Amino acid sequence: MSLTRTLSFVGALCVLAAAPASAQRAVGPVYDIVEPDMLKELQRKAKQYQATPEYRQKLRDSKKRSLERAATPTPVVGITPAFRKRSYYFDPTIEVEEDIVTPEGHVIARKGQRVNPLEQVPWRHTWFFLDGRDPAQVQELRRLISSRTQLVKAVLVAGTPTDVMRTVDHRVFFDQQGLYTTQFGIRSVPATVRQEGLRLRIDEYPIEARR
């Protein structure tokens, strides 16, 4: 574009900007800008979908799966039935990574100090790990509970907790994601964990070994 044409174009823009609104006429039809609010549009479509039979069926299926997972959690991977006796110890002593201080400023433990929780809090229960799908292991749990010689905490690695609770009339827990079996190094069940001195003794054993 030549300099003359450029100046003419700029000049025309200046004249148009300075002209009153009444002088600026539209050429052709003029329409209002109508653009739907994106959030409202998404909410509208979501409500439409929620009213469909397909959505209601998916919701029912999701609730059913959630209830099934809660009733029968996923078995802990890698745990097998015990075919031989294995006994070992677990030392819960930890090394403090930083000072442990109460809100009042009292130092409970210094960084680098080795602390054994059993010195302060005794392990009062015998933890019994079992596969709730095995009737023999469930009966072994019943035997331990009925002996009344020890407080028993039952921990499933597989099976349905509610079924086992009804059978033994005792509260039952589940080792979600193998947290405790991994911590204690348990590979087979049934297994017991009990305090012996300032250590925890773990015994894995086949049911026949107790008869």
Side-chain angles (χ1 to χ4, degrees), residues 4-47:
T4 302
R5 289 184 179 180
T6 301
L7 292 175
S8 299
F9 178 69
V10 172
L13 289 178
C14 293
V15 171
L16 181 62
S22 59
Q24 300 178 23
R25 294 185 300 169
V27 178
V30 178
Y31 303 96
D32 293 334
I33 298 176
V34 180
E35 182 177 341
D37 182 275
M38 184 62 68
L39 179 59
K40 290 182 178 179
E41 182 67 12
L42 290 175
Q43 290 174 338
R44 183 185 67 81
K45 290 185 177 180
K47 288 182 178 179

Side-chain angles (χ1 to χ4, degrees), residues 5-199:
R5 289 184 179 180
T6 301
L7 292 175
S8 299
F9 178 69
V10 172
L13 289 178
C14 293
V15 171
L16 181 62
S22 59
Q24 300 178 23
R25 294 185 300 169
V27 178
V30 178
Y31 303 96
D32 293 334
I33 298 176
V34 180
E35 182 177 341
D37 182 275
M38 184 62 68
L39 179 59
K40 290 182 178 179
E41 182 67 12
L42 290 175
Q43 290 174 338
R44 183 185 67 81
K45 290 185 177 180
K47 288 182 178 179
Q48 286 181 342
Y49 179 65
Q50 290 171 1
T52 63
E54 178 187 5
Y55 172 79
R56 290 193 291 269
Q57 183 60 48
K58 286 186 176 181
L59 188 61
R60 286 192 294 268
D61 292 343
S62 177
K63 288 181 178 179
K64 181 180 179 181
R65 287 192 298 269
S66 298
L67 291 173
E68 288 175 347
R69 283 195 297 267
T72 307
T74 303
V76 178
V77 177
I79 304 298
T80 62
F83 293 107
R84 63 181 179 84
K85 295 176 66 174
R86 184 171 79 104
S87 299
Y88 57 98
Y89 290 91
F90 174 82
D91 185 351
T93 300
I94 61 171
E95 184 173 318
V96 180
E97 296 182 352
E98 57 183 28
D99 291 352
I100 301 176
V101 184
T102 67
E104 294 76 23
H106 301 297
V107 178
I108 298 176
R110 296 287 185 184
K111 179 180 179 180
Q113 181 179 345
R114 292 178 63 79
V115 177
N116 188 329
L118 295 177
E119 293 179 338
Q120 304 296 327
V121 183
W123 190 272
R124 300 185 184 280
H125 292 73
T126 292
W127 286 30
F128 182 72
F129 290 83
L130 72 152
D131 185 335
R133 300 168 300 185
D134 182 355
Q137 295 187 38
V138 174
Q139 290 305 312
E140 176 69 2
L141 171 60
R142 184 199 292 271
R143 185 190 69 79
L144 289 175
I145 296 170
S146 61
S147 68
R148 300 186 182 277
T149 58
Q150 55 196 319
L151 297 173
V152 178
K153 181 173 182 177
V155 185
L156 296 185
V157 298
T160 305
T162 52
D163 291 346
V164 177
M165 282 192 285
R166 281 194 294 265
T167 300
V168 300
D169 192 24
H170 190 81
R171 190 175 185 184
V172 172
F173 299 87
F174 198 97
D175 186 17
Q176 297 283 358
Q177 300 179 342
L179 176 65
Y180 293 114
T181 48
T182 300
Q183 182 72 27
F184 295 136
I186 295 173
R187 301 196 298 259
S188 301
V189 290
T192 57
V193 180
R194 57 170 60 90
Q195 183 173 346
E196 192 171 291
L198 291 179
R199 296 183 299 175

